[in-house]
Amino acid sequence: CLVICIGYRCAGIFTHQSLLLMPNAFKILKTIHLALFMGMLIFAVAGMVVVEQQMMPMADESFQRIFQVVCVIVSLSCLVIGFNIFKRKMLAARNHPGSGEKRMELYRSACILWWAMIEAPGLLATIGYILTANLSFLALAGLHILIILAFMPRKDNIIVLLNLTAADVAELEGKA
């Protein structure tokens, strides 16, 4: 029963209401980013183990070629579309007339969407690697891991991007 209660509490930690009640919005954003990054990394390592242990039969070469093209198109599309959406939403958050908390909420949703658009093709590439044992898929997954790592949220950047005041920062850190 205790495990179920703890699991329920952890599962609800990233809901809208609980995010507003959490003490430090910057740390929450970093935690979400870390969870997505680690998920990609662990999945890639697990895929390497599956391929190394030959736990799955490998797909034929015609499938590999088609799936490579699909992965590259999905990857490029998601990165270009995702970044454009992120940029538009980030500017909307910066120019929002509301409180720093509201701007941070808008920025957080933009970041999560952008990170998802980075992560999805990386996971697809890892699946391609598991199915084919072709290292080009693993390289593409590695590229997405590096891209998501490069977009790690940094408090100083967020303050500048959202044009936050010292009072806004104190409120978002739970000090107000």
Side-chain angles (χ1 to χ4, degrees), residues 63-149:
F63 174 79
Q64 283 188 40
R65 290 176 205 264
I66 292 170
F67 204 64
Q68 280 179 337
V69 172
V70 168
C71 282
V72 168
I73 290 171
V74 168
S75 179
L76 289 174
S77 299
C78 283
L79 291 176
V80 170
I81 293 168
F83 184 73
N84 285 322
I85 292 170
F86 170 71
K87 187 171 60 172
R88 189 178 69 242
K89 286 183 170 267
M90 183 192 61
L91 289 173
R94 177 185 175 87
N95 297 328
H96 191 275
S99 67
E101 187 176 319
K102 180 62 178 172
R103 283 181 281 163
M104 183 63 158
E105 182 182 322
L106 293 170
Y107 180 73
R108 180 176 33 254
S109 70
C111 285
I112 291 171
L113 179 64
W114 170 226
W115 296 333
M117 297 290 278
I118 296 170
E119 184 177 31
L123 296 176
L124 183 65
T126 302
I127 291 168
Y129 175 67
I130 292 169
L131 294 175
T132 65
N134 185 331
L135 289 174
S136 62
F137 288 109
L138 188 60
L140 184 59
L143 175 68
H144 282 270
I145 290 170
L146 291 175
I147 292 171
I148 203 165
L149 187 61

Side-chain angles (χ1 to χ4, degrees), residues 16-61:
H16 172 72
Q17 289 298 331
S18 63
L19 282 173
L20 296 177
L21 301 174
M22 297 296 270
N24 192 325
F26 299 107
K27 288 183 181 178
I28 291 169
L29 194 59
K30 279 191 163 214
T31 302
I32 294 169
H33 178 269
L34 180 64
L36 292 171
F37 168 74
M38 290 304 294
M40 285 181 68
L41 188 63
I42 290 169
F43 188 59
V45 169
M48 291 169 61
V49 170
V50 167
V51 169
E52 183 68 30
Q53 298 296 319
Q54 298 176 348
M55 298 172 145
M56 291 189 62
M58 296 300 125
D60 63 351
E61 195 161 323

Side-chain angles (χ1 to χ4, degrees), residues 19-28 100-101 104 108 154-156 159 164-176:
L19 282 173
L20 296 177
L21 301 174
M22 297 296 270
N24 192 325
F26 299 107
K27 288 183 181 178
I28 291 169
E101 187 176 319
M104 183 63 158
R108 180 176 33 254
R154 292 168 187 82
K155 179 181 169 184
D156 293 336
I159 292 169
L164 297 173
T165 65
D168 291 333
V169 173
E171 180 183 353
L172 291 170
E173 289 179 328
K175 296 178 182 174

